[in-house]
């Protein structure tokens, strides 16, 4: 799936900020559930792939996107997102709870 909407304009802008400019070569992996989120950001630097420290702002933007998806009307929230920027285009792949085994955080 090509991602042009919310993710590319908001989270994508934050990813560019995190890596210090050009987001080309950035890979974002997110696992999310009710009251928890785990994000990992990587940047292809040619001969190596670097793990990049992400920001609270990125997590907040992802929370906003996740909570914008409602369980109403047949729309369901995703559990995993893989977001890849190559040649100034982003691809986002979403996996849903019925497709993956997602850990539940207890109170």
């Amino acid at each position: 799936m090509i991602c042009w909407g919310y993710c590319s304009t908001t989270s994508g802008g934050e990813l560019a900020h995190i890596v210090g400019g050009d987001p080309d070569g950035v890979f974002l992996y997110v696992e999310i559930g009710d009251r928890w989120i785990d994000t990992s950001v990587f940047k292809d630097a040619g001969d190596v792939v670097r793990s990049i420290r992400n920001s609270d702002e990125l997590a907040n933007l992802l929370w906003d996107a996740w909570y914008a998806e409602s369980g109403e009307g047949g729309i369901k929230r995703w559990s995993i997102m893989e977001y890849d920027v190559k040649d100034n285009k982003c691809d986002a792949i979403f996996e849903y709870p019925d497709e993956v085994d997602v850990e539940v955080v207890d109170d």
Side-chain angles (χ1 to χ4, degrees):
M1 154 188 315
I2 302 295
C3 171
W4 293 113
Y6 186 89
C7 291
S8 65
T9 58
T10 359
S11 300
E14 181 61 18
L15 284 171
H17 175 73
I18 289 170
V19 299
D22 184 9
D24 201 42
V26 168
F27 180 80
L28 168 65
Y29 180 83
V30 180
E31 289 187 8
I32 193 168
D34 189 28
R35 298 180 310 233
W36 64 273
I37 186 169
D38 186 24
T39 62
S40 298
V41 178
F42 303 93
K43 171 85 169 156
D44 184 347
D47 57 340
V48 297
V49 174
R50 301 190 186 283
S51 176
I52 307 293
R53 180 182 296 224
N54 53 35
S55 69
D56 290 339
E57 180 64 21
L58 178 62
N60 291 337
L61 291 168
L62 292 165
W63 274 116
D64 290 346
W66 190 76
Y67 277 112
E69 297 295 329
S70 168
E72 299 175 21
I75 300 171
K76 54 186 176 175
R77 292 182 174 144
W78 46 274
S79 296
I80 295 174
M81 178 177 70
E82 297 176 8
Y83 182 94
D84 193 15
V85 181
K86 289 184 183 170
D87 300 323
N88 296 316
K89 294 181 182 175
C90 68
D91 289 322
I93 298 171
F94 297 90
E95 295 184 53
Y96 297 89
D98 59 342
E99 299 172 327
V100 294
D101 184 21
V102 179
E103 180 181 337
V104 176
V105 177
D106 294 330
D107 289 327

